[in-house]
Amino acid sequence: MARPGFPLSSWPWRAAAYLLTGAVVGVATLAGIVTVVVVCGALVLVLVGLPLLVVATLGGIPVAWVERRRLRLVDRDPVSGGHQVPTVPGLWAWLTTRLRERGTWREFGYALLFAGLLWPVDALAVTVALICPLSMVAAPLLMATVGDGHEAKVLKLWTVTTWPTAFGVAVLGLFLLGLGTYLLGVMAGARAGLTRLLIASREGELGAEVVELARSRARLVHAFEAERRRIERDLHDGAQQRLVALTMALGLARLDTPPGPLADQLTRAHEEAGNALAELRELIQGIYPKVLTDYGLQAAVSDAADRCVIPVDVGLELPGRPAEAVESAAYFVVCEALANVAKHSGADRARVSGGHRDGRLFLEVRDDGRGGADPSAGSGLTGLADRVSVLDGRLALTSPPGGPTLLRVEFPCELTEAADRSV
């Protein structure tokens, strides 16, 4: 409505059509409600009217169905119904399901409000904003046809007897018609907002918001994993290769330099370059291990177990590879769990096992330590649990005092062949 060309656009006519059809549907709804009440009142003496009255409460469902489609005239966002599907087939199951729903009673209340109050407001808005100005615009035409050029009745209220007056009334009608387009827009917008408020499904809208939130979180996880792989690739192909070249150059310089202070400095520089290269390789391994990308979760877990400071048995068997996000999350859960075992548990041995069954990837990390692990004490498991939940997974920790500690994580996923992943 803030656009300059609103009165000449299609929206005023859409608003008028919405309000006009609202008046028609409202009259039909009122007639239907009166008919049902009269019939139920007449049959209540034979105890038939009471069941019919209960069934009449379902009359709001078709009214709401019509209203959702009428809303498309002025509202581009669809309105969900949100009615539940009965768990068992049959008319009785459908009837009991509908009567238990809050949406059914909300739609019934809207039908009563529509039949008693809203449709007269729709009719009044169309009359004041559209019909009255159009009648004034037609004053010269009425004077030339019905009035034989002598007089014309304007809105059945006053008589116009001269042509200048008739054209003046027409000009005034055009001005009021322009103002009426905005009145129609305001009324239609208010009616559409009230209708959406009363008949829209709160559960459906909330469910849509939850789905969109889950999708956005999943997109963030995928973007985070892609950024991890990019950083790992840049460090592996860039900084690491330069350090390797520097280490080789320093080593060759040591061989060509005679013993002395300069040779000692080259030796120290060569050792520092080697240490920096080792630290960089550990950093790359922590960001995104190359073995996980090339060989999959089973090989990456075995590699993490070999690098652990305590003995770790691995019993993980996977006939394929899960999705990249699931594979990465599962790997870092295992790494964090093994790091916690090495730092806090005092265990002598740990075991990592898992597999894929019934469409779910499951992993278990068990140790024989002292137990008493608390995720809220800064162990890092809280962040991993959040990451697992983004992928619709579950993480459970059992760690009684005295041990043992068992960490179990599950992800819903399907496995693919390694060849398919490489493609």
Side-chain angles (χ1 to χ4, degrees):
M1 292 178 61
R3 297 179 181 177
F6 174 76
L8 300 179
S9 66
S10 63
W11 285 105
W13 301 106
R14 294 166 71 108
Y18 176 71
L19 296 173
L20 185 60
T21 54
V24 175
V25 175
V27 171
T29 303
L30 177 61
I33 291 177
V34 171
T35 303
V36 170
V37 170
V38 171
V39 172
C40 292
L43 296 177
V44 73
L45 297 177
V46 292
L47 300 179
V48 180
L50 294 178
L52 288 178
L53 191 60
V54 173
V55 176
T57 58
L58 302 176
I61 296 178
V63 174
W65 183 86
V66 174
E67 288 298 283
R68 291 188 186 95
R69 277 141 187 84
R70 284 202 319 111
L71 274 175
R72 297 175 183 175
L73 291 171
V74 294
D75 194 344
R76 292 174 175 174
D77 297 330
V79 180
S80 60
H83 287 293
Q84 299 178 0
V85 178
T87 56
V88 295
L91 179 60
W92 178 252
W94 181 87
L95 181 61
T96 55
T97 301
R98 292 294 172 267
L99 292 177
R100 292 172 183 170
E101 289 179 331
R102 288 181 295 179
T104 301
W105 296 98
R106 198 166 57 240
E107 292 172 352
F108 177 65
Y110 173 79
L112 295 178
L113 182 63
F114 187 29
L117 178 63
L118 295 182
W119 76 262
V121 176
D122 295 345
L124 180 62
V126 172
T127 301
V128 172
L130 185 62
I131 296 178
C132 290
L134 287 178
S135 299
M136 296 175 67
V137 172
L141 181 61
L142 294 175
M143 189 170 179
T145 55
V146 180
D148 296 329
H150 296 93
E151 65 178 16
K153 290 286 187 179
V154 179
L155 300 177
K156 302 296 183 179
L157 296 177
W158 70 86
T159 302
V160 175
T161 57
T162 63
W163 286 104
T165 305
F167 282 107
V169 171
V171 172
L172 179 60
L174 287 175
F175 176 74
L176 294 178
L177 184 61
L179 294 180
T181 57
Y182 290 96
L183 178 61
L184 288 172
V186 170
M187 288 299 302
R191 278 283 287 111
L194 179 62
T195 301
R196 175 181 285 274
L197 178 65
L198 295 179
I199 68 174
S201 171
R202 277 65 165 176
E203 295 80 4
E205 294 181 354
L206 181 60
E209 292 179 359
V210 171
V211 169
E212 179 57 29
L213 178 61
R215 290 176 178 174
S216 64
R217 292 178 66 188
R219 288 193 296 268
L220 287 176
V221 169
H222 289 302
F224 179 71
E225 293 301 327
E227 188 66 14
R228 268 180 177 271
R229 289 191 294 272
R230 186 192 67 79
I231 295 174
E232 180 271 336
R233 185 171 57 252
D234 291 345
L235 290 176
H236 183 273
D237 299 337
Q240 181 177 248
Q241 300 303 320
R242 290 182 178 274
L243 278 176
V244 170
L246 176 62
T247 304
M248 294 178 62
L250 290 173
L252 293 175
R254 286 178 57 190
L255 296 176
D256 296 337
T257 303
L262 180 59
D264 295 339
Q265 292 180 2
L266 286 175
T267 300
R268 287 195 296 271
H270 185 256
E271 292 175 352
E272 290 296 330
N275 294 334
L277 181 60
E279 292 180 1
L280 181 61
R281 284 172 175 168
E282 290 183 2
L283 177 62
I284 294 173
Q285 184 75 16
I287 292 175
Y288 204 92
K290 190 69 174 176
V291 64
L292 179 63
T293 304
D294 295 340
Y295 300 103
L297 180 61
Q298 188 170 344
V301 169
S302 298
D303 179 68
D306 293 337
R307 290 184 286 107
C308 189
V309 296
I310 65 173
V312 179
D313 300 323
V314 178
L316 178 62
E317 295 183 1
L318 295 175
R321 297 187 63 175
E324 293 182 1
V326 173
E327 193 173 61
S328 175
Y331 170 77
F332 285 108
V333 166
V334 172
C335 289
E336 181 68 26
L338 292 179
N340 288 335
V341 170
K343 293 179 182 179
H344 308 295
S345 70
D348 297 326
R349 200 168 194 86
R351 176 176 175 79
V352 180
S353 60
H356 185 270
R357 183 174 61 248
D358 298 330
R360 301 185 72 86
L361 170 68
F362 63 93
L363 295 168
E364 292 183 352
V365 181
R366 184 189 301 269
D367 68 76
D368 57 0
R370 66 177 65 96
D374 185 7
S376 62
S379 63
L381 292 177
T382 302
L384 290 176
D386 294 338
R387 184 172 179 174
V388 169
S389 66
V390 171
L391 301 172
D392 294 332
R394 295 183 298 179
L395 186 146
L397 176 66
T398 303
S399 182
T405 297
L406 173 63
L407 176 71
R408 180 180 177 89
V409 61
E410 295 183 2
F411 296 95
C413 68
E414 297 297 333
L415 300 183
T416 59
E417 296 295 334
D420 298 335
R421 284 284 300 272
S422 62
V423 175

